[in-house]
Amino acid sequence: MTNDKAAGESIPAGETPVRRNFVREIIDEDLKTNKFAGRVHTRFPPEPNGYLHIGHAKSICLNFGIARDYKGKCNLRFDDTNPTKEEMEYVESIEQDVQWLGFNWDGMYYASDYFGQLYDYALQLIRKGKAYVCDLNADQMRELRGTLTEPGKNSPYRDRSMEENLDLFQRMKAGEFADGSRTLRAKIDMASPNVNMRDPVMYRILRSTHHRTGDTWCIYPMYDWAHGQSDSVEGITHSICTLEFEDHRPLYDWFVQELGIYHPQQIEFARLNLTFTVMSKRRLLQLVQDGDVDGWDDPRMPTICGLRRRGYTPESIRDFADRIGVSKSESTVDVAFLEECLRADLNKRAPRVMAVLHPVKLIIDNYPDGVVEELEAVNNPEDPTAGSRKVPFSKVLYIEQDDFREDPPKKYFRLSPGSEVRLRYAYIIKCVGVVKDEKTGEIVELHCTYDAETKSGSPQSARKVKGTIHWVSAEHAVDAESRIYDRLFNVEDPGGENWKSYLNPASLQLVQGCKVEPSLAHAQPQERYQFERLGYFCVDDDSREGTLIFNRTVTLRDTWAKIEKSA
RNA sequence: UGGGGUGUAGCCAAGUGGUAAGGCAGCGGCCUUUGGAGCCGCCACUCCCAGGUUCGAAUCCUGGCACCCCAGCCA
């Protein structure tokens, strides 16, 4: 399946001002010197052994973004050289996630497409005397590899004849030897200070059904042997990867040079780390398998599908990737920064609605029984084209429990006995009574009076009151459930062996009995709203008409919470 | 203590011999029928440290220090 569209076609170039970074500088220089005949061709090469996460998004935005801005190309290539870990489920999710982020690949390939070519290349190296079949097992090989400070020793099989190597390698492929009994190794230098150059393994014998090639092969290429040659075959100009592969670059270069084939340039950048979360696929997989989360797309996960379900927009993730930049220094970005990018985007596009998460009944004593007014409410003050809607208002309402305090602290602008507050889009009311449950002391009803002159839009409505609160008409409200998410871990850096002990037990809070305005009755999964004064919410995939479920994507900036906290 | 990298504000990050961009956070103020949004202002006499070169150094040189990565038949 190949997609011919230009990379990133759906994203206008110049969506944000292009930010300089060292990778683009290298490309500029290469363009100037005509190193690659004016071509720019990148690739995003995930291993299909897990779901993509926000760290991959950084790489995706880098690679596809470069292709877009330089009018070049970007391939999607699955690095599927280890059949024991890779599955179709993952390739499907990866395709979906890349597209959801807004990118279209020019070519879609698999490293496994090149198994035949790679085998032929291996034959070439053997004939050149640059590769040999080694009979050492894994333990023996490790012993001879030396250490970081001591050189390794040559394998006793290192000097086999070319003919014998050819014969043995062909028989490895033919399945004559047991798994792990032999390897094909590059003949480089066992004394190299770079351990990657100490006769690295190119092929191992592994009888495992591959998700695409089935049982055709029982030898599989190692990453180092597959990656550069795949880049070369595809005509990649700039092979961008993360820092830990910097030590592999000499090997990358050695292979293409010895083969005498087209030579792409590998460039390494620092991977993304985020506070309050884990990013390794191994750990994310463990969270899923151990049931600590509800699957790869749990809204608390830093996976692309998790963020999507949480309510993140692709635009906000791209903006985040642009704003954090690209460099070679190890960095950990504050997750609050990701959230800020999200708010910036949602603020401009999410329709406002009123919803009460923790309702308390409020009765307007002097409002006529049985009367319903349809009040005009603006859909999005940031977007005049969003229009307005009617919201029903009546004598009995629900307001947020937290918007009433019997003993208000200093600077509390909301409702309290005897105080006035504005009901958003409606009237100014005054609290005249509190009804409590005799046994529990819990507040069950608030009684207020309203000032009929202060209806929103009328001349008298200009009267100043300290606070404005949201509400929903009891008779017209629709029931809903909310899922309130907090950080998955309660420490900034949940590293080390004990990482699971830092899981935040309160990362998910289910709130039943929410009351939302009637315009939300038919809300569909993935729709995003701002619940005024509370935050951005999106309709969960589990939501059904009549059983609405909202995920809290992110809170609004909350100045009051800050004041109260510091008090 | 082998090799490869990286050190600029609380967090990211520009800067490439001419006198420290920008964003986020933070702090003041304005505005506001979301304590939202928006707007204005403040926020590094100094760039890991120490020497040196230079009229001039975050940028060049020398020597230290700190942190990250590498000893998979994982990627």
Side-chain angles (χ1 to χ4, degrees):
Chain A
M1 175 187 152
T2 297
N3 186 328
D4 288 326
K5 282 187 221 161
E9 187 182 72
S10 60
I11 300 168
E15 171 182 71
T16 53
V18 173
R19 274 157 230 270
R20 304 296 320 151
N21 61 51
F22 80 98
V23 179
R24 285 170 186 259
E25 256 163 42
I26 290 170
I27 294 174
D28 288 342
E29 185 59 25
D30 290 345
L31 251 20
K32 205 177 295 171
T33 62
N34 214 31
K35 180 171 175 183
F36 297 106
R39 291 188 311 116
V40 175
H41 200 335
T42 56
R43 104 264 91 114
F44 172 63
E47 182 188 10
N49 68 342
Y51 280 67
L52 260 26
H53 53 63
I54 183 76
H56 294 109
K58 176 181 180 181
S59 174
I60 291 168
C61 292
L62 213 212
N63 280 292
F64 283 94
I66 283 170
R68 173 195 64 212
D69 296 336
Y70 286 91
K71 304 203 180 345
K73 291 181 174 180
C74 182
N75 294 348
L76 173 61
R77 182 170 71 235
F78 293 98
D79 223 325
D80 57 350
T81 56
N82 184 354
T84 63
K85 291 184 175 171
E86 296 147 6
E87 295 171 25
M88 264 336 263
E89 176 198 350
Y90 297 128
V91 343
E92 283 157 15
S93 74
I94 288 167
E95 286 179 55
Q96 186 188 3
D97 289 347
V98 171
Q99 288 178 320
W100 178 76
L101 277 173
F103 297 104
N104 298 304
W105 44 85
D106 289 279
M108 185 171 93
Y109 304 106
Y110 294 82
S112 55
D113 292 340
Y114 311 128
F115 281 176
Q117 175 68 261
L118 255 10
Y119 179 78
D120 291 341
Y121 282 153
L123 257 18
Q124 281 181 40
L125 283 197
I126 293 172
R127 290 197 189 96
K128 245 186 117 176
K130 298 290 186 175
Y132 63 97
V133 171
C134 182
D135 299 2
L136 256 24
N137 65 34
D139 289 336
Q140 295 166 325
M141 200 180 291
R142 189 178 317 114
E143 273 172 40
L144 291 187
R145 186 150 35 224
T147 68
L148 295 180
T149 52
E150 299 160 321
K153 298 188 180 78
N154 285 172
S155 163
Y157 307 98
R158 197 173 201 259
D159 295 317
R160 286 217 251 236
S161 71
M162 184 255 278
E163 290 74 17
E164 189 183 4
N165 281 321
L166 237 27
D167 173 63
L168 253 14
F169 183 53
Q170 282 160 352
R171 289 163 62 194
M172 274 171 63
K173 178 188 179 234
E176 290 188 30
F177 309 119
D179 283 11
S181 63
R182 284 178 223 257
T183 55
L184 182 73
R185 293 226 253 167
K187 192 192 275 191
I188 308 180
D189 177 10
M190 287 306 291
S192 172
N194 180 347
V195 292
N196 293 121
M197 300 299 271
R198 319 242 260 229
D199 289 9
V201 171
M202 295 163 63
Y203 276 99
R204 72 279 217 189
I205 303 173
L206 195 59
R207 284 172 180 78
S208 173
T209 303
H210 187 277
H211 70 108
R212 294 189 73 243
T213 61
D215 296 317
T216 306
W217 297 85
C218 65
I219 56 172
Y220 289 96
M222 299 290 291
Y223 165 85
D224 286 307
W225 173 240
H227 203 90
Q229 282 60 259
S230 301
D231 284 340
S232 180
V233 168
E234 290 176 26
I236 299 303
T237 55
H238 303 271
S239 179
I240 303 166
C241 62
T242 43
L243 252 27
E244 67 270 27
F245 292 104
E246 209 150 16
D247 285 342
H248 295 240
R249 193 172 62 226
L251 181 53
Y252 183 108
D253 293 340
W254 190 88
F255 280 136
V256 288
Q257 263 156 28
E258 291 298 334
L259 253 13
I261 57 178
Y262 166 75
H263 194 156
Q265 180 179 355
Q266 177 177 301
I267 301 170
E268 311 84 13
F269 73 100
R271 67 172 348 122
L272 171 67
N273 297 294
L274 261 195
T275 56
F276 296 102
T277 192
V278 293
M279 208 79 95
S280 86
K281 281 193 199 171
R282 196 191 111 247
R283 285 178 176 171
L284 294 175
L285 177 63
Q286 202 177 332
L287 290 172
V288 172
Q289 286 177 339
D290 296 355
D292 297 305
V293 294
D294 228 354
W296 287 98
D297 70 340
D298 185 299
R300 292 166 293 183
M301 292 279 273
T303 49
I304 305 295
C305 55
L307 294 168
R308 175 165 64 232
R309 188 164 183 180
R310 174 82 169 246
Y312 272 77
T313 59
E315 290 82 357
S316 66
I317 294 173
R318 278 186 250 135
D319 182 41
F320 173 72
D322 283 341
R323 296 217 271 168
I324 56 175
V326 178
S327 74
K328 296 191 70 154
S329 57
E330 292 279 343
S331 62
T332 302
V333 177
D334 193 337
V335 71
F337 189 59
L338 211 210
E339 293 175 343
E340 194 45 40
C341 294
L342 212 216
R343 287 192 189 99
D345 186 35
L346 255 17
N347 175 50
K348 291 192 195 104
R349 52 203 294 191
R352 272 60 170 173
V353 293
M354 291 197 285
V356 177
L357 261 33
H358 298 98
V360 58
K361 193 169 279 185
L362 181 150
I363 297 160
I364 304 172
D365 294 337
N366 61 340
Y367 194 84
D369 292 321
V371 170
V372 177
E373 287 187 81
E374 294 287 334
L375 303 176
E376 191 86 5
V378 170
N379 287 331
N380 186 347
E382 303 296 317
D383 177 10
T385 67
S388 62
R389 68 190 185 285
K390 301 284 190 190
V391 183
F393 179 85
S394 61
K395 184 184 179 85
V396 182
L397 312 172
Y398 289 114
I399 66 163
E400 210 67 61
Q401 285 171 18
D402 198 43
D403 285 339
F404 176 81
R405 295 285 174 89
E406 221 175 348
D407 296 303
K410 280 203 167 55
K411 293 192 183 169
Y412 186 79
F413 297 166
R414 285 111 94 149
L415 199 61
S416 59
S419 82
E420 278 192 328
V421 82
R422 177 181 300 281
L423 292 175
R424 181 92 159 137
Y425 300 123
Y427 301 91
I428 293 173
I429 57 168
K430 179 188 229 171
C431 178
V432 295
V434 181
V435 178
K436 297 182 186 175
D437 183 295
E438 284 181 11
K439 287 177 197 151
T440 65
E442 187 194 356
I443 294 169
V444 293
E445 258 176 41
L446 263 14
H447 284 263
C448 295
T449 55
Y450 84 120
D451 180 347
E453 305 285 288
T454 59
K455 181 172 173 178
S456 188
S458 71
Q460 292 300 312
S461 73
R463 213 177 97 201
K464 298 286 179 211
V465 283
K466 275 281 180 62
T468 298
I469 64 174
H470 62 277
W471 51 273
V472 95
S473 169
E475 181 192 339
H476 307 90
V478 175
D479 290 314
E481 173 188 321
S482 294
R483 297 177 182 173
I484 304 299
Y485 298 104
D486 198 354
R487 0 208 83 146
L488 227 202
F489 292 88
N490 40 33
V491 295
E492 267 195 34
D493 178 17
E497 275 314 295
N498 270 340
W499 64 282
K500 278 253 201 154
S501 66
Y502 304 119
L503 272 168
N504 176 6
S507 59
L508 167 62
Q509 188 193 336
L510 292 176
V511 184
Q512 317 268 355
C514 307
K515 301 288 187 180
V516 305
E517 65 168 69
S519 69
L520 252 20
H522 309 294
Q524 297 300 308
Q526 290 289 306
E527 285 178 3
R528 304 180 186 91
Y529 297 93
Q530 184 197 101
F531 286 1
E532 292 217 28
R533 304 207 305 132
L534 297 177
Y536 295 98
F537 288 71
C538 80
V539 182
D540 189 78
D541 296 339
D542 290 343
S543 187
R544 297 288 175 275
E545 212 152 302
T547 322
L548 291 176
I549 301 172
F550 292 93
N551 293 319
R552 187 179 71 190
T553 308
V554 65
T555 59
L556 251 28
R557 251 199 236 133
D558 192 345
T559 311
W560 166 245
K562 211 187 292 173
I563 293 170
E564 203 175 28
K565 201 175 168 186
S566 64

